[in-house]
Amino acid sequence: MTLPDSYLAIQTSLRALGRVAVAFSGGVDSTLLLKVAADTLGPSHVLAVIGDSPSLPRREKSDAEDLAAGMGVELVVVPTGEMDNPQYAANPRNRCYYCKQMLMAAVSKQAAARGITAVLDGQNADDRSDWRPGSQAARECGVRSPLQEAGLTKADIRLLSESLGLPTSRKPAMACLASRLPYGTPVTPAALRQIEAAEQSLQDAGFATVRVRHHGTVARIEIDPEEVPRLLDPSTRLRISTAVKAAGFTFVALDLDGYRTGSLNSP
């Protein structure tokens, strides 16, 4: 299908549902889904639910709240409590399964309280070929993925977002903070705070695409390879090193391969 056809397909599926609750993060995918739902059904027939926990950066939460408010959609922020689940906190390879399970339970509860039976998420067609244990949990909870059902890839979603004037059209991908910890390393609020503070210092310095991988006392920085020369400028390097150490790390390393999704999935 062409992009206009895909857009119409999303609208058709949404109209059949009537009222919907969207698991909302403020990322590229869920923002487009929320926008199309609000435009198609009317804001009063759409509920946005943010799952809040230490794995969600405060800046991302604030931005998501602003986006939902700008669309006139009711927004509910609910604690997901995954940190209290030992299966999640142990950080196995399927950690995302337990996180998504609790998130969708929280979204479904908020939806049911308002008489909404359809719960949606922003998964796209590219997600089918990626390691996504959370997708299984979403399916088990009966969650629909209209963007994926319409065959929209991440590139398609960015193009549609730009045509609709959404500020997220060029927003870098943003996985939860727990994804910075190697599998088997326990997920703790303290480690997540370290990662958030370190990444924020890089973002404040103008580096948009950033991951700070947590290896105990070592912070391994991933940025866009084209940005490496700028980070290695002596004054910038010193400023970043100082800020990342202030976040609680002893050593700061730069990954010369640069940012790539799922780097901790590599053997």
Side-chain angles (χ1 to χ4, degrees), residues 117-181:
T117 58
V119 175
L120 315 178
D121 71 9
Q123 291 189 85
N124 62 58
D126 293 334
D127 293 333
R128 290 195 181 104
S129 59
D130 196 7
W131 169 244
R132 299 270 177 172
S135 298
Q136 178 184 345
R139 288 193 301 271
E140 291 173 357
C141 293
V143 176
R144 294 278 300 274
S145 305
L147 305 183
Q148 188 177 85
E149 293 168 12
L152 289 173
T153 65
K154 177 70 80 172
D156 295 332
I157 290 166
R158 290 190 184 281
L159 286 173
L160 273 178
S161 298
E162 187 171 11
S163 70
L164 293 171
L166 293 174
T168 50
S169 64
R170 299 186 182 183
K171 181 176 181 177
M174 179 64 196
C176 80
L177 294 174
S179 67
R180 282 47 154 185
L181 289 158

Side-chain angles (χ1 to χ4, degrees), residues 55-149:
S55 68
L56 176 67
R58 298 301 87 186
R59 181 176 290 178
E60 291 293 312
K61 176 177 176 289
S62 177
D63 288 348
E65 290 171 334
D66 290 344
L67 284 166
M71 297 180 202
V73 171
E74 180 187 359
L75 174 71
V76 179
V77 179
V78 294
T80 48
E82 69 266 24
M83 301 297 298
D84 298 326
N85 181 347
Q87 292 173 300
Y88 169 89
N91 199 12
R93 284 187 62 83
N94 65 339
R95 177 198 67 244
C96 293
Y97 174 85
Y98 301 108
C99 177
K100 186 74 74 172
Q101 193 177 54
M102 300 184 77
L103 169 63
M104 291 311 173
V107 177
S108 297
K109 182 177 180 180
Q110 293 296 321
R114 293 161 176 78
I116 298 172
T117 58
V119 175
L120 315 178
D121 71 9
Q123 291 189 85
N124 62 58
D126 293 334
D127 293 333
R128 290 195 181 104
S129 59
D130 196 7
W131 169 244
R132 299 270 177 172
S135 298
Q136 178 184 345
R139 288 193 301 271
E140 291 173 357
C141 293
V143 176
R144 294 278 300 274
S145 305
L147 305 183
Q148 188 177 85
E149 293 168 12

